[in-house]
Amino acid sequence: MSLTHALIDVRPLRTSPVFRRLLIGRTVSMLGGVMTMVTVMYQVWDMTHSTVWSGAVGLAQALPMVAVGLFAGAWVDRADRRRVFLLATVGQAVCSLLLAVQGFNGHVPVVVLLGLVAAQSSCGAVGAPAAGVFVPRLLPKEQVAAGLALNQITGQAMMLLGPALAGVLLGRLGIGACYLLDALSFGLSFYGAFGLPALPPEGERSRPGLRGVLDGLRFLTGHRAVRGALLTDLAATVLSFPVSLFPLVNAERFGDDPSTLGLFLSALAVGGLATSAFSGSITRLGRPGPVMLCASATWGAALVLFGLTTSAWTGLALLVLAGAADTTAVVSRSTIVQTRTPDALLGRVTAAEQIVGQAGPNLGNLRGGLIAGWTSGATALISGGLLCLAAVTAVAASTPELRGATGPGAGD
């Protein structure tokens, strides 16, 4: 296999100027969003010096995504997705401007700050299902996986760059300026989507309110391939997400060295970035189901071995492997969801996928912490990896549509 074939597939950038503009806007906006996340954490800690309030930041971000997401998906499947996304982008920009105002002013209660964070997260929960239909509507089906991989690698790069850039700018420009830069970043996101054509649902529009949500849930439970993809993701996150265990494992096995802990936290991202950069052979393969199952099993096996090793360098190598497997599974899962879901339901299914992606790691961290509290960090890691392997095996055994089907409509 040639190196060119293995490198990330950039055909969507060459063939679709609209996708190219969207990707640029999304990348810059994500950088601003990561900077805001870091700035909020810094400001809340500076105001309260309380771990409870610091933890409440994550709650303010996650709860609106879950509470608003499914109903937003039903609305997206009734409306012009382009217009919904533009409105949500404006809402997020306004919230960032208000965050900048309070940042420059510096005299607001912490609950007001968290309220603005929750409002911005609510706007994001509306915009995400709308954006979820862009790739399959703008690209040929054979390029959808490549488009998703490009989204993935740019998002991971911003997750690595954003915290470091936020730290530098916080020290030099202050809190208000970081929020203001985030508000300005939404301008590029707005520009990227403004040139899109109208994107109404293709097919029967969603019924309003709860009925539309229930229609989407019925599709999720009835479509075996899509259901299996989301269950596989939950198996990898809820049963085995390891990040909350890193400090304890570092103390148990590696002398509580803070530099080792930092490397553990970076290793997953390094593996993900490397895999995204060389994802061409995977995205061109056209078999996202088997790839997702194998990658999810590799994730679980790598975590089992990480729980067994006493070598820091071996542990880092295993975490790089786990990060690579996770990114491969995420791209494959999204490919399944976006190519096998009818356009008229895609907003609701994308919203459910977003909720799974948000809630799964948080629940996995909670599971890991509880198990480690009763046993040890290594036991929590090993048991989680084994549970993940068992669950992925069960999904694979019960869902032949994931094991072999390749077509967009497979698994109906």
Side-chain angles (χ1 to χ4, degrees):
M1 181 183 295
S2 68
L3 179 62
T4 302
H5 192 270
L7 287 172
I8 189 168
D9 188 352
V10 296
R11 284 179 298 166
L13 296 178
R14 295 198 304 263
T15 61
S16 176
V18 176
F19 174 81
R20 188 166 60 241
R21 288 197 303 271
L22 277 172
L23 184 66
I24 292 171
R26 177 184 182 275
T27 302
V28 174
S29 180
M30 181 167 286
L31 176 62
V34 174
M35 289 172 54
T36 286
M37 178 180 67
V38 174
T39 305
V40 169
M41 292 293 294
Y42 174 82
Q43 185 180 3
V44 169
W45 177 255
D46 186 59
M47 293 168 66
T48 66
H49 292 283
S50 165
T51 55
V52 174
W53 281 113
S54 295
V57 174
L59 203 62
Q61 293 170 328
L63 282 181
M65 183 66 70
V66 175
V68 175
L70 286 177
F71 288 94
W75 177 35
V76 164
D77 285 338
R78 289 176 54 80
D80 174 8
R81 281 74 175 265
R82 168 187 173 274
R83 182 175 299 176
V84 172
F85 180 80
L86 292 175
L87 289 173
T89 300
V90 170
Q92 289 177 287
V94 169
C95 290
S96 288
L97 283 174
L98 293 175
L99 283 168
V101 169
Q102 66 81 33
F104 286 121
N105 182 51
H107 299 291
V108 298
V110 67
V111 292
V112 173
L113 174 59
L114 294 180
L116 289 172
V117 171
Q120 188 173 57
S121 181
S122 297
C123 293
V126 173
V133 309
F134 291 164
V135 172
R137 287 286 290 268
L138 297 174
L139 298 177
K141 288 194 181 297
E142 66 272 12
Q143 293 185 24
V144 168
L148 295 172
L150 288 165
N151 280 341
Q152 184 77 4
I153 192 172
T154 54
Q156 289 172 326
M158 294 308 101
M159 287 296 292
L160 283 176
L161 175 62
L165 184 59
V168 172
L169 294 178
L170 277 169
R172 295 188 177 182
L173 302 178
I175 290 171
C178 286
Y179 290 134
L180 184 59
L181 288 173
D182 183 29
L184 294 175
S185 75
F186 285 110
L188 273 178
S189 182
F190 187 94
Y191 167 75
F194 189 76
L196 290 175
L199 294 172
E202 293 179 343
E204 185 178 353
R205 293 174 183 258
S206 168
R207 295 191 293 175
L210 184 60
R211 291 181 299 170
V213 173
L214 293 176
D215 289 340
L217 293 176
R218 275 191 288 271
F219 171 81
L220 280 175
T221 57
H223 193 290
R224 292 167 60 84
V226 174
R227 181 185 66 205
L230 296 184
L231 287 175
T232 303
D233 186 80
L234 288 173
T237 53
V238 174
L239 298 180
S240 59
F241 203 72
V243 172
S244 66
L245 299 171
F246 286 170
L248 179 57
V249 172
N250 187 46
E252 290 176 346
R253 295 281 182 89
F254 308 110
D256 207 18
D257 185 344
S259 62
T260 306
L261 176 61
L263 290 173
F264 285 165
L265 293 168
S266 299
L268 290 172
V270 169
L273 270 175
T275 297
S276 295
F278 290 92
S279 62
S281 56
I282 295 172
T283 57
R284 290 184 176 96
L285 186 61
R287 294 177 64 84
V291 168
M292 181 193 66
L293 292 170
C294 291
S296 298
T298 301
W299 160 270
L303 294 178
V304 170
L305 295 174
F306 176 63
L308 292 171
T309 188
T310 56
S311 165
W313 290 110
T314 302
L316 287 172
L318 289 167
L319 289 177
V320 169
L321 175 62
D326 178 56
T327 294
T328 302
V330 167
V331 172
S332 300
R333 181 202 71 209
S334 295
T335 302
I336 292 168
V337 169
Q338 296 203 5
T339 58
R340 299 183 183 177
T341 302
D343 184 82
L345 287 158
L346 195 51
R348 281 162 285 182
V349 175
T350 301
E353 184 188 14
Q354 295 282 337
I355 291 171
V356 166
Q358 288 278 331
N362 289 328
L363 291 174
N365 279 329
L366 177 62
R367 181 215 66 89
L370 290 174
I371 298 297
W374 296 331
T375 56
S376 68
T379 300
L381 271 171
I382 294 167
S383 63
L386 291 174
L387 286 171
C388 173
L389 282 169
V392 171
T393 301
V395 172
S398 61
T399 317
E401 294 83 358
L402 284 179
R403 297 198 304 270
T406 60
D412 292 339

